[in-house]
Structure formats: structure tokens, C-alpha cells
Amino acid sequence: MKRVLQQATRVASKGPTTPSVSACRFSTSPASADDSSMLHRTSMPHVSESALGGQNHPMIQPDVFVAPTATVVGEVEINFGASVWYNAVIRGDKNAVKVGAKASVGDRVSVSTVASLDSGFPAVCDIGYDAIIGAGSSLVSCTVMPGATIGENCVVLEGALVEAKATVLPGSVVPPGRRVPAGQIWGGNPVEYVGDNDPEHGNEDVVASESLMAADHMDEFLPINTAFWQKE
């Protein structure tokens, strides 16, 4: 740790060559090709003619954990205590994406939107508070309500609705426009009713575990990355 602090001090004394994490998230200009101290940007704006100033910027609360290898682009709002894990991609390019408080977007998850829905409803993607999105899943312009759990490697397609405290089993496909009722367990391709969740035991333990783990991972990373070591 002493060595890290000494190196960081020497780099800082040469001038501000590397922006902070928050600056990387909300910077409006792309990283320069010769800036080897910033190898990946976790957050980027998206050019949009309808947006104020011509760009949609992610809005990420200060205590949100966005993994160093995750990417958040465009009109995305991530609320307090949420976590976006490694290699996840959240794209708010065609429509808005909202991630609720303490929701967890797992490793390699893809969240995207389409321009419009045949139903006429807004083609946004809304992930409610305390929702758990399992690793490797793909969500497209759907709604996952508070306390719902999407298992690993699931696909939830346009206009689908997963209601509060419902569970979609791993590897399942929720077709466009399908509704998974509150408190129920659905699975398969396409999903079908499997059973009911225990009303006395929701996903609160998983949500708490994800929050603690996110806090631990956040402490592992410096405000700037360690690529500056190679400039010594």
C-alpha cells in the first residue's frame, strides 16, 4: 500500500494526467488514443438530436458500484445503492433505461432498448428497486418490477412485464409482451407457470448480500486505475 501511495504521489506531482472515476463517467469527450492511463471508460454519453446539448448522459448516484469493466452509455439512470457488475453493458441509446435503488445487474448482463413497441407503450427498460438480474441475462425494453429475480442467462424481450417479487428461472425466455404475475415462479422457453414464491421469504437476503459485496469491490479500486504504474 505504501508503494502504491508513493507512486500515485509521484504521478500527481507531474500534473493531472488522469481524470477521476466520476470525471470518466460524465466526460463529454472521448478518451484520446495516446492516453494509456485510461484504458476503459465505465460511462459515456450518447449523441442524440432530441437531447439537451445534443447528448444523453448517464446519471449515476455516488454510491453506485459500476465495475471497471462494465459500460453504461446514454440515457441511463442508476439509483442509490445499485450495482452494475463486470462486463455488463447498459445502453440507453434508443430509449431510456432506469435501474432502481439496490438493484443488481449481474456479470455480462446486456440491457438495451428498441425505438418503439407495437403496443404503443414507452419502449423504455425499467428495472425496479431490489431487483436481481442474474449473470449473462439479456433485457430489451422490458419492465422488471421491485423485488423480482431474473435468473442467470435469461432473455426478457420487448414489452415483457415481470411483476413484483416474481422469479424467472435460469435459462428462461420471456417472449415479447408476456406478463409474469407477482409472486409467481415461471421458467422455460417460452416461460410457463411453475409455482409460487414463498410470501414469507423474498429476495431480501440476496439484495443485502449484493450490496455488501458491491461495497467490498468498490473498496478494491483506486480513484484512478493502476495503468500509471507502467509509465514509471
Side-chain angles (χ1 to χ4, degrees):
M1 188 63 187
K2 182 178 180 181
R3 176 173 172 266
V4 172
L5 292 174
Q6 289 174 343
Q7 289 175 324
T9 302
R10 286 199 298 271
V11 172
S13 65
K14 296 177 183 179
T17 58
T18 307
S20 66
V21 172
S22 59
C24 289
R25 288 184 179 182
F26 298 100
S27 174
T28 58
S29 59
S32 61
D34 60 349
D35 189 359
S36 59
S37 296
M38 189 166 60
L39 304 181
H40 175 73
R41 303 176 66 197
T42 56
S43 166
M44 292 177 286
H46 177 261
V47 176
S48 172
E49 294 181 359
S50 61
L52 182 65
Q55 291 181 326
N56 282 320
H57 293 262
M59 297 179 62
I60 304 174
Q61 298 299 334
D63 65 342
V64 170
F65 171 66
V66 179
T69 56
T71 303
V72 181
V73 181
E75 190 177 357
V76 179
E77 178 184 349
I78 306 180
N79 284 293
F80 292 97
S83 53
V84 180
W85 292 91
Y86 298 91
N87 297 325
V89 177
I90 302 179
R91 291 169 38 214
D93 48 359
K94 296 179 181 178
N95 261 298
V97 176
K98 181 178 179 181
V99 180
K102 294 187 178 180
S104 174
V105 178
D107 297 339
R108 308 182 314 281
V109 166
S110 171
V111 180
S112 60
T113 56
V114 296
S116 62
L117 297 177
D118 293 339
S119 64
F121 287 101
V124 300
C125 189
D126 191 350
I127 300 173
Y129 66 86
D130 289 354
I132 302 295
I133 312 300
S137 293
S138 177
L139 278 60
V140 183
S141 289
C142 59
T143 299
V144 179
M145 296 187 71
T149 299
I150 307 297
E152 295 184 357
N153 301 310
C154 288
V155 177
V156 186
L157 293 172
E158 301 94 324
L161 171 63
V162 180
E163 293 188 348
K165 297 188 177 181
T167 298
V168 177
L169 297 176
S172 299
V173 176
V174 183
R178 182 65 57 89
R179 169 178 167 261
V180 177
Q184 293 187 1
I185 303 171
W186 285 50
N189 180 12
V191 290
E192 297 179 347
Y193 173 75
V194 174
D196 293 322
N197 279 319
D198 184 349
E200 300 297 326
H201 298 88
N203 67 352
E204 292 83 1
D205 291 342
V206 179
V207 171
S209 175
E210 291 286 316
S211 296
L212 290 173
M213 188 161 55
D216 288 342
H217 280 249
M218 191 178 297
D219 288 341
E220 291 290 327
F221 299 102
L222 297 171
I224 56 177
N225 61 39
T226 57
F228 66 86
W229 286 350
Q230 300 174 11
K231 288 197 170 185
E232 289 295 312

